[in-house]
Amino acid sequence: MTTSSHPTPALPFALAAYDDPAALARALAAHVAEALRARVARDGSASLAVSGGRTPTRFFETLSGAPLDWSRITVTLVDERWVPETSDRSNAALVRRHLLKGPAAAARFVPLFTGAPTPEEGLAGAEAAVAALRAPFAAVVLGMGDDGHTASFFPGAPTLAAAIDPAGTARLIAVRAEAAGEPRITFTLPPLISADLLLLHIEGATKRAVLERAAAGGNGADQPIRAVLANAPRPLDVLWCP
């Protein structure tokens, strides 16, 4: 008996390369500002979900000065470590420090950490908080780790399958994984990929290689960014610099 194997088809993404982080930040801020401006003009308000970590700081600083009607814009996080804002690991603290200032100080901010002892116990409160967000998001900015995780979709997490289920109905889910460090809370795949504008912000040769491997083959369990590539309604827009 003979068997044949069929390679996993490559997944599309659209890569825009920039010379340096400053040029990338300016382009990313311009794209996001335009999406927010368009949604406010159409619906009167707009919601934006951003990622934490070190990479987006320059983007936050640039976007904070954008001439938008920030009073009509609500900002939240793609995901959050289950820590208070007094922690240097808090994404909410990062956003308050680098984005919600200048013109952007007028925006409404909806953090995901509720103060409950665990993300599982805080899930209902976080769900109630995000229920008021204008849906779908006008823009979502994702990041990606060297292990291929995005949002808090970590390989090996017990709740990963539910988090990346394109037919799932939950907006938020608690995540625990060895690579995650602290327990986390994250938006699930469906509300992220339904955004008017979905962007992936990565920097460096290593992360570009990780993305290209994920696009070339594999599965979402091993390379969670692949779940985004496979299920987004159009090729994922990637902004990258060396």
Side-chain angles (χ1 to χ4, degrees):
M1 182 178 71
T2 61
T3 60
S4 62
S5 62
H6 300 280
T8 307
L11 297 172
F13 61 88
L15 179 77
Y18 297 88
D19 291 336
D20 54 54
L24 190 161
R26 288 193 298 270
L28 183 57
H31 286 305
V32 170
E34 181 54 35
L36 292 170
R37 191 175 291 114
R39 177 60 80 83
V40 169
R42 191 182 79 200
D43 294 342
S45 63
S47 296
L48 165 67
V50 297
S51 298
R54 294 182 299 275
T55 303
T57 302
R58 195 185 302 260
F59 155 61
F60 289 164
E61 295 278 347
T62 306
L63 183 62
S64 70
L68 298 166
D69 187 350
W70 284 100
S71 66
R72 297 179 179 272
I73 294 168
T74 303
V75 178
T76 192
L77 289 156
V78 168
D79 65 322
E80 177 63 285
R81 302 175 179 97
W82 203 252
V83 296
E85 291 186 30
T86 52
S87 169
D88 61 5
R89 298 273 289 166
S90 168
N91 288 337
L94 184 80
V95 168
R96 289 192 194 276
R97 186 162 57 250
H98 294 287
L99 176 57
L100 301 176
K101 62 181 188 175
R108 177 172 172 252
F109 181 49
V110 178
L112 301 182
F113 177 74
T114 67
T118 68
E120 291 83 2
E121 292 171 274
L123 196 58
E127 281 274 10
V130 303
L133 293 171
R134 167 73 70 174
F137 288 115
V140 167
V141 182
L142 299 173
M144 186 187 71
D146 291 348
D147 60 355
H149 87 265
T150 189
S152 281
F153 306 157
F154 283 91
T159 54
L160 177 61
I164 63 174
D165 181 358
T169 56
R171 280 172 296 199
L172 298 172
I173 197 165
V175 175
R176 294 175 182 268
E178 184 176 349
E182 303 91 342
R184 300 192 182 205
I185 189 170
T186 186
F187 273 92
T188 58
L189 183 67
L192 297 178
I193 63 173
S194 67
D196 294 349
L197 179 67
L198 179 64
L199 302 171
L200 176 65
H201 174 194
I202 55 173
E203 299 180 7
T206 297
K207 289 191 178 181
R208 179 167 177 174
V210 169
L211 177 66
E212 289 174 345
R213 285 196 299 271
N219 60 67
D222 296 332
Q223 300 166 305
I225 187 62
R226 188 174 170 82
V228 178
L229 293 168
N231 294 287
R234 54 192 172 275
L236 179 62
D237 285 310
V238 182
L239 286 78
W240 171 84
C241 70

